[in-house]
Amino acid sequence: MAYAKMPRISMQCRSTITRLFAASALAAAAATPAWAQQPAAISDDIVRLGLILDMSGVYADVTGKGSATAAQMAIDDFGGTVLGKKIDLMVVDHQNKADIAAAKAREWYDTQKMDAIMDVAGSAPALAVLEVAREKKKIVVFSGPGTERITNDLCSPYSVHYTYDTWSLANTTARATVEKGGKSWYFLTADYAFGHTLQASATEVVKANGGTVLGASRHPLGSSDFASYLLQAQASKAQVIGLANAGGDTVNAIKAASEFGLTKGGQKMAGLLLYINDIHAIGLDAAAGLTLTEAFYWDMNDQARAWSQRYYDKLKKMPNMSQAGTYSSVMHYLKAVQAAGTDAPEAVMKQMKSMPINDFFATNGRIREDGRMVHDMYLFEVKQPSESKRPWDYYKLVATLPGDQAFMPLSKSTCPLVKK
């Protein structure tokens, strides 16, 4: 086969061509994000994940050891490594103090080379850590705290609110309760960021559906005596006592209400944030008939039952929605690192937002531009003692609210990341 003879290129032409290629390469590099210019790699040859939780206080049962166990299960199920590098989990107790949470996050990011914080229990500590993560341009994911500000006015390109928020709880529980005739409300509210936003969200929903709010009593975090607050609620003659609190506070309030005979007098308790742990601690005699909203129930389907049994074998209790959400979010993060070929925050977050979430926790879940992970929410009623067949068999499904209806629509968002 004959080949045509190529003309010789002069030294001057070669120099010109070289300069053109160099200029093109520089232009391409300038147009490419910094993380994409780096070779696929894991920084420091290890992926470090952190949990800043309540390990000893009022939220220890609903986050604490259970959330840490769920996160480690996800790491183990992923194989213990990602892109050939070890995955390490660090856990610390913030004692429900925002300053301790922020200081630990800063220390982890600055000196421990933390890649991502995968949960912070409690809204006040969570908001403090959110600001540190924003400053350090590091990923933080929340399954334990509820305040909707995480994906609203305080949203960050590096944060994800994964499991639930105050808007979805109020929107589901309050709306259903009002529609069933519970028109007049009185709130028992935890006196900090989470309780305030939960009461405000529920108030908006109650009024929008034709109900009224007759008053509210605010109590400090970790209250042991609810007598005076319940007497005020009883005196209001409200049809519904909305519990804008969580954890041990909710348990103590419901137990005290049962002792005071509030429900026997015709008033109904509506738990705006109740976990299955709370129902277990309260008992069906006192909790029966309560309505509540959850993102997960261990007995929902075969997948949920299978994973929950594995969790139960470790801790001898069933998981709640925050603990299941922690597992799901850690698994989703690790899949994103694998797909991105790096643990660089911008690349991983882009991957997390592009990948759907399909597991025992969520079906067709997705992370919006404001960081909200959108998925179905469920309205349950607590069973009567005679209806429960075995331990932890506590819920009857009343309604399923699709994710696009359960969470705040982007049209109402004040997140600066949302394009209007």
Side-chain angles (χ1 to χ4, degrees):
M1 182 181 291
Y3 292 89
K5 187 174 181 181
M6 297 296 293
R8 296 185 63 183
I9 301 174
S10 69
M11 291 298 294
Q12 184 177 1
C13 287
R14 290 179 183 177
S15 178
T16 301
I17 291 170
T18 301
R19 288 198 301 272
L20 287 172
F21 271 110
S24 297
L26 286 171
T32 305
W35 56 264
Q37 297 177 35
Q38 303 301 319
I42 294 297
S43 58
D44 308 307
D45 287 332
I46 190 168
V47 173
R48 292 183 177 86
L49 306 180
L51 298 171
I52 304 180
L53 303 173
D54 178 359
M55 303 298 290
S56 55
V58 68
Y59 298 143
D61 192 38
V62 297
T63 61
K65 186 178 179 181
S67 293
T69 298
Q72 189 60 55
M73 286 175 67
I75 292 170
D76 294 342
D77 288 350
F78 199 80
T81 63
V82 58
L83 298 175
K85 305 300 181 181
K86 181 185 175 184
I87 306 162
D88 190 28
L89 179 67
M90 301 172 70
V91 183
V92 71
D93 184 356
H94 62 37
Q95 303 170 43
N96 281 310
K97 296 179 179 178
D99 57 339
I100 292 178
K104 179 52 67 174
R106 190 174 299 278
E107 175 192 335
W108 276 355
Y109 287 139
D110 286 346
T111 67
Q112 300 294 323
K113 298 178 180 177
M114 181 66 64
D115 291 295
I117 292 175
M118 297 306 298
D119 200 12
V120 183
S123 290
L127 292 178
V129 172
L130 176 65
E131 293 311 311
V132 177
R134 188 197 312 275
E135 174 193 337
K136 301 296 181 181
K137 297 183 178 180
K138 293 286 190 175
I139 290 175
V140 59
V141 182
F142 302 105
S143 282
T147 179
E148 66 205 44
R149 298 189 68 190
I150 291 171
T151 54
N152 207 26
D153 60 309
L154 297 180
C155 71
S156 160
Y158 299 95
S159 66
V160 175
H161 206 177
Y162 204 85
T163 299
Y164 72 97
D165 60 28
T166 47
W167 202 93
S168 64
L169 296 176
N171 183 48
T172 306
T173 303
R175 184 170 68 176
T177 303
V178 173
E179 288 176 352
K180 287 185 177 182
K183 298 288 188 180
S184 59
W185 285 61
Y186 188 95
F187 289 98
L188 295 186
T189 303
D191 193 12
Y192 70 109
F194 162 76
H196 298 170
T197 53
L198 185 52
Q199 180 188 327
S201 296
T203 296
E204 180 183 347
V205 174
V206 168
K207 291 182 176 179
N209 286 275
T212 59
V213 175
L214 303 181
S217 295
R218 290 184 173 182
H219 64 80
L221 182 67
S223 294
S224 58
D225 185 1
F226 280 84
S228 62
Y229 310 121
L230 288 169
L231 286 173
Q232 293 173 54
Q234 191 174 40
S236 75
K237 301 189 183 303
Q239 293 170 295
V240 182
I241 300 172
L243 301 174
N245 49 23
D249 287 334
T250 306
V251 171
N252 291 335
I254 294 174
K255 284 183 175 179
S258 179
E259 293 170 3
F260 273 85
L262 264 69
T263 52
K264 291 180 180 179
Q267 290 178 300
K268 183 178 179 63
M269 306 286 285
L272 296 174
L273 174 55
L274 271 168
Y275 289 98
I276 195 168
N277 311 65
D278 302 327
I279 305 304
H280 189 73
I282 296 164
L284 291 183
D285 287 334
L290 275 166
T291 55
L292 57 103
T293 299
E294 292 239 39
F296 167 85
Y297 177 43
W298 71 269
D299 203 18
M300 284 286 290
N301 52 54
D302 289 342
Q303 268 191 300
R305 282 187 286 272
W307 181 81
S308 298
Q309 185 60 53
R310 292 173 52 217
Y311 178 98
Y312 181 88
D313 290 343
K314 295 178 180 294
L315 294 179
K316 305 307 176 189
K317 62 176 69 175
M318 286 298 179
N320 62 39
M321 63 176 172
S322 288
Q323 292 155 350
T326 297
Y327 176 100
S328 179
S329 65
V330 170
M331 186 64 75
H332 188 63
Y333 172 84
L334 293 174
K335 288 178 179 178
V337 171
Q338 183 80 45
T342 177
D343 59 359
E346 292 85 355
V348 175
M349 185 57 74
K350 181 180 180 181
Q351 198 67 43
M352 289 177 73
K353 289 182 176 179
S354 70
M355 295 165 53
I357 299 159
N358 287 293
D359 57 17
F360 69 87
F361 177 78
T363 302
N364 294 323
R366 61 185 178 87
I367 299 173
R368 299 189 311 201
E369 56 263 48
D370 60 350
R372 174 69 261 166
M373 202 282 265
V374 177
H375 54 83
D376 294 350
M377 295 291 286
Y378 307 100
L379 182 68
F380 294 105
E381 181 179 311
V382 178
K383 290 182 175 181
Q384 298 293 327
S386 60
E387 296 175 300
S388 178
K389 305 303 181 186
R390 59 193 183 281
W392 300 94
D393 175 24
Y394 298 153
Y395 291 168
K396 293 186 292 187
L397 180 63
V398 176
T400 298
L401 202 62
D404 58 356
Q405 297 177 31
F407 292 96
M408 180 185 289
L410 290 176
S411 60
K412 289 188 174 184
S413 176
T414 59
C415 171
L417 301 175
V418 175
K419 296 178 181 179
K420 299 291 188 179

